[in-house]
Amino acid sequence: MTITEDTSTTENPKAEVGRARRRKEDQRLITGRTRWTDNITLPGMLHIAMVRSPFAHARITGIDTAEAKASRNVVAVLTGEDLKDVQGVNANAWPISPDQVTPTHLPMAVDHVACAGEIVACVVARSAAEARDAAELVDVDYEELPAVLDMKEALKDEVLAHPDLGTNKSAFWKLDSKEAGTGEDVDAAIAKAREAGVVIEREYRQQRLIPAFMEPRSVVVDPTGEQITMWSATQIPHILRFLLAATTGVSEAKIRVIAPDVGGGFGGKLQTTPEEFIAFAAAQQLGKPVKYTETRSESLLSAHHGRDQWQKLTLSATRDGTVTGLKVELLADLGAYVALVGGGVPVLGAWMFNSIYKFPAYRFTVQTLLTNKTWVDAYRGAGRPEATFGIERMMDELAAELGMDPLELREKNWIKHEEFPFTTVAGMTYDSGNYEAATARARELFGYDELRAEQQRRRESNDPIQLGIGISTFTEMCGLAPSRVLGSLSYGAGGWEHASIRMLPTGKVEVVTGTSPHGQGHETAWSQIVADRLGVPFEDVEVLHGDTQISHKGLDTYGSRSLVVGGEALVLAADKVVEKAKPIAAHLLEANVDDLEFTSGRFGVKGTDKGMTMAEIALASFAAHNLPDGIEPGLDSEATYDPVDFSFPHGTHLCAMEVDTETGATSMRSYVCVDDIGVVVNPLIADGQIHGGLVQGIAQALWEGAEYDENGTLVTGSFVDYTLPTAADTISFVTDYTVSPSTTNTLGTKGVGEAGTIASTPAVVNAIVDALRPMGVHDVPMPCTPERVWRAIQSGGSDRQVESSGEAQPHFDAGAPNQDTPEPEGGAQ
């Protein structure tokens, strides 16, 4: 859908919500009048360069800093030994089991490194260039140790990522529908299907990805004032402040964290980083401001990675296509350490593998593992893209086995719109949705029947360029949510959010939000919500965020929570402003409170033309010359909102891919998505979020993948090797929306930040496999490079396994090739 800036909406010409406003933030961003952390310069500021281990696993046997210390303008060289008592620790906030094995993650290693890129020393100098030059002169002696780099090898515990722990197994977690009382016995369902139905088993690889945000991470620390002030390119200023205080012993009241303009995150800045802790400690040690800004190579190497799973799925169904059971077994690579929420990321997928389908029986298990790679944490979608990929690939496999149209198979099994609210086999209650409407609209925009007819013609003519149609009908859980639920899962924080509204005497409005944007458009969308709620002009609303001194309470931005949680806090705060203003208005208008009505920013007396605007009441409240007895001056209000449930956006994504069967080259013909994100606050922003998410999900399918060599060295450590798409590599997408408002918040919103990424990866891979299915191919490992597609064609799907009516089909090799060995043996897995 092409959206231009609207000046009205059809239902209410004056309403802001629903209007395609251009973003307030963009003017300063696109003209360069912004404040990235790396732009900050303080008097007397010093610069830090990090010394990183070249080895994936080693003991530190000595560090010689003499030559570096003698270098021009070097102020200090600090080692782990120097900082061990003051540097704090990188915490894990989500232990998923009581017996989780969690290695201590010091910001700067003292005697042992567990992955390449781990920091072993830092140089502080008067310029960044001098610090980097001197860092090369730090001489570190290592005793290299065997490294474990493969999840399946890690499972054997023969080589240990952390020898002192005695195991690579971090935690095991299970959700079983029979045990939970939400469904039937999945083993019985599968056994029954082996006798009289169909059972499909597949193993899929979710390759390791790198968030690759536009702005590299940067941190500035000033210890010279009454507080220690940290500027950081982070998604989580409030959480960062708390963890700095909790692990270093510095009073939280003495720490101020500011997230200025932040150039993207995608979960990659949802972390308390070693560099932040080291800069914090170094600034205190030296008593001077310090700055650290990573290079792009450092970012790719040591900023946390995402995904990295093996998925083994077993799906059972009757011969008419009715699904009866789903069993999911995961191995999840945590890397060298259990990151902030890293252990819990695969658990988030537990409630989403069943997706929009009415499975009567379900079991999910995950074993998290430690290896000698960069640690893994949330990456756009965090567990839900992995789940959506698995189930949407399996639904296509089932459709192919039964000879059914994959859209018809999905419709046969999905929750119908009249069945909402619906409690799933995983125990989640979906409040609203309409999969039929979204799919019908997507099918129409895509020209589904026409493309199927063209596909058939190409197959019949043996055209070397085959056409594939990929489908992804998905839902996700957004608004990382109710605090009690998170507490029951041992999550280290709540799910609430805070907002406050300051009514200024001039009638202007300051909104303070605990959410911390890094490109989402909060300043614009929040202004629209408040403008509608208070009846003030959009231009009169200013949004403040990202500074723990100004926004003293908040839980920041991740998990598509900002609008559905933070936006609702705004609504509650705005409604309190109206309630505060009401008795003042009644007093000034000499009317009874019950006789007032508030419409479009004006209190009016019913049946008369008497009234006062919110701006007039704000001034009267400030002056306090004529207030009712017992009423305090001022209309300022604040609210904290804790959701009653998650929200569940959904959508249907359709992709057409052309595949050259002679070379393996692929090209995208068309892509249509119709999403239901509840009430759309700003269609222009929503479309931007969808487009960005689509490109990231498509990139996983076609281009991106972090690769290590046999020594644990990252070989995709620059954009020469880690292949991010550009605008030239993508096509124009067709987007549209259906609206089934959420019933769990007053705005009716559901969240949009991750939807495109979650849905697009399986749509693309399904399309490629669909094009090649007549050649016996049922999978191509991601990223689906031309070489991998070509190899899959040559193999002819020799590893395919389906069991139907008790008849065993050709064996599926559970030992499919490792992502670290990019050439698949025997083709698709």
Side-chain angles (χ1 to χ4, degrees), residues 61-86:
T61 58
I63 303 179
D64 184 351
T65 63
E67 191 174 357
K69 286 180 177 177
S71 296
R72 176 182 173 84
N73 283 330
V74 169
V75 175
V77 180
L78 301 172
T79 66
E81 190 67 33
D82 297 325
L83 299 179
K84 66 180 182 180
D85 296 328
V86 296

Side-chain angles (χ1 to χ4, degrees), residues 284-304:
Q284 292 177 86
Q285 292 275 92
L286 301 172
K288 291 181 177 294
V290 300
K291 177 194 286 187
Y292 168 75
T293 300
E294 67 186 1
T295 64
R296 180 60 69 181
S297 293
E298 285 181 297
S299 180
L300 294 173
L301 173 66
S302 60
H304 79 246

Side-chain angles (χ1 to χ4, degrees), residues 382-499:
R384 290 100 78 204
E386 297 92 315
T388 300
F389 180 86
I391 186 58
E392 288 304 288
R393 290 289 294 110
M394 291 296 280
M395 293 302 284
D396 258 31
E397 292 300 295
L398 177 60
E401 170 63 18
L402 297 175
M404 292 181 67
D405 181 278
L407 266 181
E408 291 177 7
L409 175 75
R410 286 166 167 83
E411 183 174 8
K412 183 178 184 66
N413 288 285
W414 70 37
I415 304 158
K416 304 302 188 290
H417 72 274
E418 64 269 14
E419 296 178 290
F420 288 97
F422 185 92
T423 300
T424 73
V425 71
M428 283 286 178
T429 299
Y430 299 170
D431 62 321
S432 67
N434 192 327
Y435 310 137
E436 301 97 309
T439 302
R441 180 62 176 150
R443 184 171 184 146
E444 174 191 354
L445 293 170
F446 189 66
Y448 185 83
D449 294 337
E450 294 84 351
L451 284 170
R452 281 293 184 202
E454 180 184 343
Q455 179 187 59
Q456 185 60 33
R457 290 194 298 271
R458 291 196 189 197
R459 288 178 176 178
E460 291 171 353
S461 65
N462 291 320
D463 193 322
I465 309 296
Q466 286 293 307
L467 177 66
I469 297 170
I471 299 163
S472 177
T473 51
F474 83 105
T475 190
E476 59 159 324
M477 50 192 279
C478 287
L480 196 59
S483 296
R484 289 183 180 180
V485 172
L486 297 179
S488 71
L489 296 170
S490 300
Y491 185 77
W496 54 265
E497 193 48 78
H498 185 78

Side-chain angles (χ1 to χ4, degrees), residues 69 83 87 120 214 221 365 440 456 545-546 624 719 744 751 753-754 807:
K69 286 180 177 177
L83 299 179
Q87 66 173 324
V120 299
M214 185 177 293
V221 181
T365 61
Q456 185 60 33
H545 57 79
F719 285 155
T744 59
E754 297 163 302
E807 249 179 74

Side-chain angles (χ1 to χ4, degrees), residues 535-680:
V536 298
F538 168 82
E539 295 78 10
D540 287 353
V541 182
E542 190 74 21
V543 179
L544 308 177
H545 57 79
D547 183 339
T548 61
Q549 193 88 319
I550 295 171
S551 171
H552 66 285
K553 291 172 65 176
L555 285 174
D556 307 318
T557 294
Y558 40 85
S560 297
R561 71 184 299 274
S562 292
L563 179 58
V564 295
V565 186
E568 195 67 13
L570 277 182
V571 169
L572 295 179
D575 289 350
K576 286 183 179 181
V577 170
V578 174
E579 288 304 308
K580 276 190 172 185
K582 189 178 290 183
I584 300 174
H587 178 74
L588 296 175
L589 292 169
E590 298 179 335
N592 191 295
V593 169
D594 295 335
D595 291 333
L596 293 186
E597 54 187 3
F598 181 69
T599 307
S600 300
R602 183 178 184 272
F603 286 96
V605 181
K606 296 175 184 176
T608 75
D609 59 359
K610 293 173 61 178
M612 294 184 70
T613 66
M614 181 65 77
E616 290 172 322
I617 298 168
L619 181 59
S621 177
F622 169 75
H625 295 160
N626 185 18
L627 297 181
D629 292 342
I631 298 293
E632 296 179 352
L635 301 179
D636 297 354
S637 298
E638 58 183 280
T640 300
Y641 173 67
D642 200 340
V644 298
D645 202 350
F646 298 92
S647 64
F648 299 95
H650 68 82
T652 297
H653 289 226
L654 302 176
C655 175
M657 296 289 294
E658 293 184 327
V659 181
D660 188 329
T661 59
E662 296 176 346
T663 66
T666 63
S667 63
M668 187 172 290
R669 166 88 167 266
S670 63
Y671 196 105
V672 169
C673 60
V674 176
D675 286 275
D676 190 326
I677 58 174
V679 172
V680 181

